[in-house]
Structure formats: structure tokens, C-alpha cells
Amino acid sequence: MAKILKKEVISDGIFRMDIEAPEIARRRKAGQFVILRLNEKGERIPLTIVDSNPEEGSITIIFQVVGHTTALLSHLIEGEEILDLQGPLGNPTEIKNYGHAVCIGGGVGVGVVYPITKALKESGNRVTSIIGARSKDLLILEKEMAAISDRLIVTTDDGSYGFRGFVSQALAELLEKGEKIDCVFAIGPVPMMKAVSECTRPYGIKTYVSLNAIMVDGTGMCGACRVSVGEQTKFTCVDGPEFDGHEVDFDLLMKRLRMYCEQERVSYERNQCRCQNG
Amino acid sequence: MKEISVGVKMADKIKIPRQPMPEQDPLIRRKNFDEVPLGYDAETAQKEARRCIQCKKPGCVSGCPVEVNIPLFIQQIAEGDFLGAAHTIKETNSLPAICGRVCPQEDQCEKFCILGKKGDPVAIGRLERFAADYERAQGSVEIPPTLPATGKKIAVIGSGPSGLTIAGDLVKLGYDVTIFEALHKPGGVLIYGIPEFRLPKAIVEAEVEYLKKLGVKIELNSVIGRLKTIDDLFSEGYAAVYIAVGAGAPVFMNIPGENLLGIYSANEYLTRSNLMKAYLFPDYDTPIVTGKNVAVIGGGNVAMDAVRTALRLGAENAYIVYRRGREEMPARKEEIHHAEEEGVQFHFLTTPISYSGDENGWVKEMTCLRMELGEPDASGRRSPVPIPGSEFTLDVDTVVVAIGTQANPVIPLTTPGLETNKRGYIVTKGENGETSRPGVYAGGDIVTGSATVILAMGAGKRAARAIHEFLSRK
């Protein structure tokens, strides 16, 4: 059981929670995730650890309501408990001084890129961050990202705030201007990670992406999260979650993420009905 | 004529036929997840028990990896002392209700039964199950006395059959035992791997509860190697560590199209259905693909579990695709028989070479090659050789790859000095599970590669003795 210490709505349908997890808080590193299960009938879902507070014994997660389990999670209140919390899982990000690092987050992916950005900044990198959302009211962590970046570029698809366009277009502008970039970390929707990887490919800039494949156990046991990287099958949970964006088969990932579309809809609608009927 | 137990003459004993196991009707059970064999009633069990001729040198005992006193417990059943029988078994086997169901008795105890030379061996497994079920149903599971506390802590990594066995043995010797389990439920393969219709989960839960009553602590959601390392455990004051994490990583064939949607590893398919109860979706949240034409690749017990699960999930055609012949299948005869009764279709001497999918990435067709048997390979079985030009296709919408598992590398990678072999399994000295690291022992599938529940339990028992000796010397 893991108690919810703090809950905030940070944007439309996006929540931040601090959860009591002293052992995970002590051990986790940037780039790692947890798997949680809310009740006896619940499914297991992976969520990135955004931050931790070893003194308080807590970890922070950020999630967007996208289906049944995230909807249920969003209904929990401070003081309530999460039945199962397993972690830290996955390999930590390879943090070192690359020189000029560009950290890119799209949508709720800003939450995932945040701990990596923070760790890169702390290891002496010059950090440019590019964060984006569909519109201004969906943008998250602007202040937090600004505080750990040497420069912050904000984009919105509809132009309601900052640069009008996608994060990949903002990156392309920097590259066209001839800016020297030593590595890129890009996390967000699959099409965005694909677009960023295509931007950097001609320049040969090392580009890491963090993949959000469907998982069950998270310990390398089931292979649900398999992805194709450099024509080889890899397990996101134990070989990743970060991979070389130039090697990832994003089209396959997108298809595999839709494997349970129909069942997810059934589950979600059933839950909504239950809520409406009290 | 010499009189043997409970007044049945030898000649009469031999006349009693092996008592059949009552089972759910195949046409009904292929639609439900309830247990298939229903178990003996007391009368049938006693009748079967009376067949035992109480050999002076019982072969059955030497065939049992944990050396259960088989003639004694069978005699107790014959005499109507069912609780006594259960206690006899539990002296050496802490999980009899499980072993009575999933042990390959035909290759162990029953293989050496003298009656088997001319007819059918005594149904030892069914009797074991009867005694254990009787005890549980009576609600009279006895908590045996434990030795005074030694004050020494032992960490067991993994709560599968090997981990549960060693935990039970060591707690009885007075050790403070904590099991670290990676998943949210204890039981390992007994929970995530073996389906409800073969091993009801309530039985595994009862065995785990029994261990907890003995004083075993269980830490769930604890991935050793990630949450903490084995060295961390020693710093926390554990005096010895037993690694029983199983061979949990799936093996794929690496053929074209294997990552298409609808293709599962057996581990995933069974974990979704068993651990996560996807067969009860949407009442339970975890989904599973319920295909109409399901092919399971492989010929072992796991393949049988997967293909029978597919039928129960509503498959119209459930196929076993196996590269060798019926005789070479490693699955238990009983499981193959059950699968056939339920309507599973077998494609022997067949191997898939590629899959093709539709525009959304869903598997729709499997191309196979016919095989013939050539020279015996390292396992002693004749190896399959492809027949050129024998390609054919099979329409499928779900595929389960059940061709074995391999070692999970997380613990070796995070434990300096822990020796592994080239396949990633932990190297142990001799039979007692001692590894290259002092105080660290290992057993079960992470040492042997995929094997059986009872062999993993046997390894746990031997390691318990070795750890006790090691710590007594200290």
C-alpha cells in the first residue's frame, strides 16, 4: 500500500501526485518508472517517476487521464492508498556531461523529460529545453522546466502561446540556424518522437527517446513491451525505456499501442456508467 | 496367502483396477476455467490405496525428488486416517495439494511402482491430492512446532515453488525468513503460469497463508536488483540469501512478423489470464486478445496450458504446432490427453517460419514448414529436419509462442561475483545450491533452466539444509 500524500490538477486532465514510497525514493534515478495497480481487479500500468524526495520518503508522478485506470487514479484523494506500487523499474538514463543537451517534451511527456533534464543540468550540461502542448491551457511544468534549463522554448500547436507549431519544428529551426547540439532527449507522443528523430538524423546527433509500450510485469518476464530497435527485438521494461531514436521502429510501436483499443474503450465506458449510476 | 495392510489379500489387491479420476465433461469444461479433475472421494481413495502392496524397498520413494514416505501415507489412507496421511506427506513436502496436481508422477514415483510393471501403477499423485484436500477442507491444517528463534535473518528471492519450500523449511528451524516477490501476488509460476483449471489459485493462496502462519514474511512488489541489491540485503543484516527467481524471460523464435499484434509469449498470455484474470474481462481490468483461430507453438506443459486457455477464451480452432512428433512432446501425457478431449487440433512435425499481418498490423496468417525426424540430438530426441518445399499456410488471429524460457539477467547483473554460465543461469557447486558468493544460494529454474515444480522444491529443500549447516557453523 502506498499513500497519496499530495494531489494537484496541473492542467486539463493532467494530475501530479506525491506518493509515499521511501525505498523507491531512496533508490530511483532519472529515467526510471514504477508500475501501479489500484485494486484487486485492477490492471498494472507503468508511470515515470518525475521526482523524488528521499527525506520525506516520497516520489512524484504525473499522469493524464487516458483510460480506465488513469481515470480511477485521478479520483483518488490525498490520504487514500494505491494497492500496489512496484519499482524503480527500467534502466536509468545515462547521465553525463554531453555539452549542449536539448531536452524535448510534448504533452504529458514534459513530466517524463523533467527528471532527465534536471539530472543533465546537475551534471554540468548546457541545457536547452523545448516543451510543447496542443494549446496554452494544456502546457505543464513551464516554471519547473525554466528553473532547470539555460534556455526554454515553448511551443503550442494552435499558437495560443509561444512558438506556433510542433516541438520538432522548433528544434528544426535551431538546427537550421547552425546551432551546435551534442545530444537530444525527446519524450512525448510517438509521432512527436519520430519527428524529432527524423530532424536530428541528417545531423548525426545522438537522440534518445523514452518509449511508452504496453507492459504487464515490468521485469522482463512477459515480452508485452517488445519493440524493434535496429531490427532487433528489445523489451522496453528491461532493455529500455530509453533507446536510440534513429534505430526505433516507431510505426510498429504505434500499432502495438493500439492492440487493446477496443477493450480499453469497453473498460472506460463501463467505468463511466458505473460512476454515473452511483 | 500373506496378509497385508487392512486385511486385503495380495491376490485381491492386484484385482482392484486403478481408480479413474472423476473429471468435468470435456464439452462443458472447455467453456469454463474450473478445475478439470474433480478429485477422489473418500471411498475411491481408500479403494485405490488398498492396491498398494507395501513394498519392502519402495521404488516410489526413490522416484520422489523430496522423498515422501509414500507407502506410509497410502496405508494411512487405506486405514481411513486421512489427516495422518496428510501429516506424513507434509513431513517432507510442504506443498502436497500443489504437487498432487502438477507433478509429473508418471516420470517419478509412479514410474517406479511395482504394479506398473504388469499393469497400472498406484495413483500416488491422486492420493496425495486427496489427503491434502481433505486436510484443507477439514480446516484442520496443523501448525507444526518450530525450533526456538536463532535470531538470524534469511532473504528468499522469489515466491515460486522453490522459494516457498525453503521458506517453510527454514522458518521451522527457527530462522527469521523474508520472501521478496517481484509481483503483487505470491506464488510465482503457480500463480502467473499454471491456469486455474489445472491448479486453483485458492489452493496456492492457502499454502501461502500456511507459511505466513508459520512466521514467514512476504514483501510484495519487491524487485531485487532494482529496489535493492543482494549486497544491500546483507547490509540490512540478512545472514544468507536464496535466489529462486525462476527462468522468467520468454524466448521468441526471431522469425519475420513475430512482433505483429496478436502474437504473445506464453508468459504474457498466461500472466494476463492467470495473474491478472483477463479471462474475467471486463469485470477485471486487464484485457486479452480472444482470437477465433489460435495457434500455440510448442509441445510442453506450458503450450498445453496456453492452448487450453485459448479454447476457454472462445477460440473456434485451437492448434498446437510442434516441430517433432507426438511421442517426443515433453508435456505430461495427462495434459495432452485433456487437450485432445477438449478438441485441440495438433499439427505435429510442423514449424512456423514467418507471419504476415493485415494493414493494422494484426497477424492473419502463419507460414509453416513440415519437418521429418533425423538423428538424435543432445537431448536424445530425434531432431526435426525441414522438408524442402513443404510450406503451407494456416489462418490465425492469435499466436502464443511457448518454446521455453531463459534466465532473467537482473540479479546476476547487480550482484558482483555471482558466477553464471554462458546461458545466464547461476552456477552452483554440487547439489546444495551454494553459489560463487559466500552465503548466497540458488535453486530452481534459475539454476537448471525450465524444469518442474517438484524439482524446484527439491532444490529448495537441499538448500535449506545447506544454509542451516552454513549458519550453524558460523
Side-chain angles (χ1 to χ4, degrees):
Chain A
M1 296 287 245
K3 192 192 277 183
I4 296 165
L5 301 174
K6 197 171 157 202
K7 173 186 167 185
E8 279 176 87
V9 186
I10 57 171
S11 165
D12 187 18
I14 301 182
F15 295 80
R16 172 161 48 199
M17 274 181 183
D18 291 351
I19 302 168
E20 190 171 62
E23 286 195 308
I24 300 175
R26 259 202 311 279
R27 177 150 295 261
R28 76 96 200 179
K29 293 195 169 76
Q32 290 187 299
F33 61 94
V34 289
I35 284 189
L36 55 81
R37 192 176 75 120
L38 297 179
N39 56 55
E40 265 313 313
K41 294 182 175 181
E43 62 181 339
R44 298 165 60 90
I45 62 161
L47 288 170
T48 299
I49 305 168
V50 173
D51 210 344
S52 65
N53 183 336
E55 288 76 41
E56 188 189 67
S58 67
I59 60 166
T60 304
I61 55 168
I62 289 179
F63 63 93
Q64 182 169 23
V65 175
V66 291
H68 171 64
T69 301
T70 43
L72 277 185
L73 181 60
S74 74
H75 291 138
L76 294 181
I77 56 170
E78 288 173 12
E80 288 191 303
E81 290 184 322
I82 289 167
L83 180 60
D84 293 296
L85 185 70
Q86 177 199 33
L89 299 170
N91 297 309
T93 307
E94 197 187 331
I95 298 294
K96 59 178 187 188
N97 192 345
Y98 295 89
H100 181 202
V102 175
C103 297
I104 307 175
V108 74
V110 180
V112 183
V113 87
Y114 171 79
I116 298 168
T117 311
K118 191 172 160 189
L120 288 169
K121 179 69 193 157
E122 283 164 2
S123 342
N125 288 279
R126 182 162 74 85
V127 176
T128 296
S129 295
I130 307 174
I131 62 172
R134 284 205 309 278
S135 62
K136 187 182 181 207
D137 51 332
L138 290 170
L139 189 72
I140 62 168
L141 300 183
E142 185 188 358
K143 252 190 1 234
E144 290 86 343
M145 286 297 287
I148 53 171
S149 309
D150 295 284
R151 172 173 56 164
L152 179 70
I153 301 166
V154 178
T155 73
T156 52
D157 299 1
D158 63 1
S160 52
Y161 187 52
F163 177 97
R164 182 196 185 101
F166 298 135
V167 286
S168 51
Q169 291 170 315
L171 173 69
E173 268 195 13
L174 296 184
L175 290 167
E176 280 156 22
K177 275 190 240 157
E179 195 154 323
K180 185 183 170 296
I181 296 172
D182 299 302
C183 77
V184 170
F185 287 82
I187 301 159
V190 181
M192 168 236 149
M193 294 193 282
K194 184 181 178 187
V196 167
S197 301
E198 288 314 317
C199 271
T200 57
R201 191 192 298 279
Y203 298 89
I205 300 168
K206 191 81 176 167
T207 301
Y208 296 95
V209 293
S210 179
L211 305 184
N212 56 338
I214 293 171
M215 293 185 190
V216 184
D217 68 289
T219 62
M221 190 185 88
C222 82
C225 64
R226 58 195 197 276
V227 288
S228 180
V229 182
E231 314 255 299
Q232 285 192 320
T233 295
K234 298 279 181 191
F235 291 0
T236 307
C237 68
V238 288
D239 299 322
E242 283 161 30
F243 294 101
D244 181 341
H246 298 151
E247 300 279 335
V248 171
D249 182 344
F250 289 105
D251 296 337
L252 177 70
L253 175 64
M254 268 185 270
K255 284 178 181 160
R256 287 188 64 86
L257 284 169
R258 285 200 291 265
M259 185 147 160
Y260 298 102
C261 252
E262 182 53 27
Q263 286 99 326
E264 280 163 12
R265 192 186 54 76
V266 168
S267 219
Y268 185 71
E269 283 174 5
R270 197 167 174 269
N271 179 48
Q272 295 303 304
C273 292
R274 272 194 305 226
C275 289
Q276 279 159 18
N277 299 334
Chain B
M1 180 62 71
K2 194 181 151 205
E3 290 252 326
I4 314 180
S5 65
V6 289
V8 182
K9 290 187 178 129
M10 178 72 99
D12 294 335
K13 281 179 175 294
I14 293 169
K15 277 189 212 140
I16 308 173
R18 178 171 160 118
Q19 297 300 297
M21 178 61 117
E23 288 173 349
Q24 269 200 79
D25 182 88
L27 291 178
I28 294 170
R29 74 185 192 230
R30 59 172 284 176
K31 304 276 179 216
N32 70 49
F33 277 81
D34 298 339
E35 193 173 15
V36 169
L38 303 170
Y40 282 161
D41 59 20
E43 194 188 329
T44 314
Q46 283 185 284
K47 196 168 176 190
E48 179 65 29
R50 285 192 203 108
R51 297 179 65 225
C52 173
I53 60 168
Q54 296 289 319
C55 302
K56 284 240 158 51
K57 283 185 186 162
C60 52
V61 178
S62 54
C64 172
V66 297
E67 296 181 2
V68 168
N69 189 338
I70 294 167
L72 177 60
F73 97 74
I74 291 183
Q75 184 170 349
Q76 286 167 314
I77 291 178
E79 290 166 354
D81 179 11
F82 304 144
L83 286 178
H87 297 160
T88 299
I89 302 169
K90 278 197 166 169
E91 279 170 24
T92 55
N93 180 347
S94 45
L95 308 171
I98 294 170
C99 290
R101 288 172 165 81
V102 304
C103 259
Q105 288 99 5
E106 65 273 24
D107 294 326
Q108 296 174 353
C109 51
E110 293 181 17
K111 185 179 180 178
F112 298 97
C113 176
I114 197 85
L115 296 190
K117 295 233 192 287
K118 281 192 177 157
D120 292 323
V122 175
I124 300 168
R126 294 170 183 177
L127 291 173
E128 179 183 33
R129 166 180 165 166
F130 168 77
D133 285 1
Y134 181 87
E135 187 194 32
R136 201 177 58 256
Q138 296 290 302
S140 58
V141 175
E142 194 182 88
I143 303 295
T146 52
L147 295 180
T150 60
K152 286 175 182 160
K153 294 204 296 179
I154 292 166
V156 174
I157 309 172
S159 65
S162 204
L164 292 178
T165 301
I166 196 171
D169 283 10
L170 288 173
V171 84
K172 284 186 229 164
L173 290 168
Y175 293 99
D176 179 358
V177 182
T178 304
I179 302 179
F180 294 91
E181 165 57 46
L183 291 170
H184 59 261
K185 258 202 183 115
V189 72
L190 306 171
I191 285 286
Y192 76 73
I194 304 177
E196 182 77 16
F197 56 80
R198 205 150 73 80
L199 177 63
K201 299 310 142 211
I203 288 170
V204 183
E205 283 157 16
E207 301 290 9
V208 170
E209 281 312 306
Y210 169 74
L211 287 179
K212 283 191 192 162
K213 280 191 191 138
L214 290 179
V216 173
K217 290 173 235 164
I218 303 180
E219 296 278 344
L220 299 172
N221 299 312
S222 300
V223 184
I224 300 302
R226 295 285 192 202
L227 184 64
K228 49 183 91 173
T229 62
I230 284 178
D231 287 303
D232 292 334
L233 291 172
F234 282 115
S235 343
E236 288 178 19
Y238 287 92
V241 176
Y242 181 63
I243 308 170
V245 296
V251 175
F252 288 95
M253 294 174 75
N254 294 316
I255 57 177
E258 212 172 17
N259 292 333
L260 286 167
L261 282 69
I263 303 184
Y264 287 108
S265 74
N267 271 0
E268 181 185 356
Y269 194 66
L270 292 172
T271 298
R272 281 182 181 272
S273 182
N274 302 329
L275 173 73
M276 306 309 297
K277 303 233 180 291
Y279 66 91
L280 297 174
F281 180 88
D283 189 30
Y284 280 71
D285 295 342
T286 304
I288 193 165
V289 174
T290 52
K292 295 288 167 234
N293 298 302
V294 184
V296 175
I297 318 302
N301 287 320
V302 172
M304 296 306 135
D305 285 346
V307 79
R308 296 173 68 199
T309 296
L311 276 178
R312 284 159 174 79
L313 289 172
E316 284 160 15
N317 293 297
Y319 310 107
I320 282 286
V321 176
Y322 180 52
R323 61 194 182 130
R324 302 186 212 238
R326 172 185 296 269
E327 291 313 308
E328 288 77 24
M329 273 208 288
R332 290 183 64 198
K333 294 257 176 325
E334 184 182 318
E335 304 310 329
I336 299 168
H337 173 67
H338 280 149
E340 274 182 325
E341 280 185 333
E342 290 167 9
V344 169
Q345 302 162 54
F346 289 80
H347 287 274
F348 294 115
L349 294 165
T350 303
T351 198
I353 52 170
S354 69
Y355 302 97
S356 57
D358 66 15
E359 66 283 4
N360 294 317
W362 283 90
V363 63
K364 61 172 192 186
E365 195 178 78
M366 175 165 103
T367 302
C368 299
L369 261 187
R370 302 252 186 237
M371 313 291 274
E372 59 191 350
L373 291 180
E375 296 300 309
D377 66 8
S379 74
R381 294 177 298 174
R382 294 176 66 195
S383 51
V385 183
I387 302 173
S390 65
E391 286 89 348
F392 71 101
T393 60
L394 204 57
D395 286 345
V396 291
D397 51 20
T398 309
V399 175
V400 181
V401 183
I403 57 166
T405 54
Q406 57 194 357
N408 186 312
V410 171
I411 288 197
L413 284 177
T414 55
T415 313
L418 185 69
E419 194 190 330
T420 55
N421 66 20
K422 62 176 187 293
R423 295 172 62 210
Y425 294 111
I426 298 174
V427 175
T428 58
K429 295 172 209 160
E431 289 275 278
N432 67 8
E434 205 179 321
T435 70
S436 55
R437 282 278 306 262
V440 179
Y441 294 74
D445 284 2
I446 190 59
V447 172
T448 57
S450 310
T452 60
V453 167
I454 190 73
L455 288 174
M457 289 175 58
K461 289 204 95 62
R462 290 191 301 274
R465 284 199 286 266
I467 289 177
H468 182 47
E469 243 171 64
F470 169 73
L471 294 178
S472 304
R473 262 187 276 131
K474 269 191 151 180

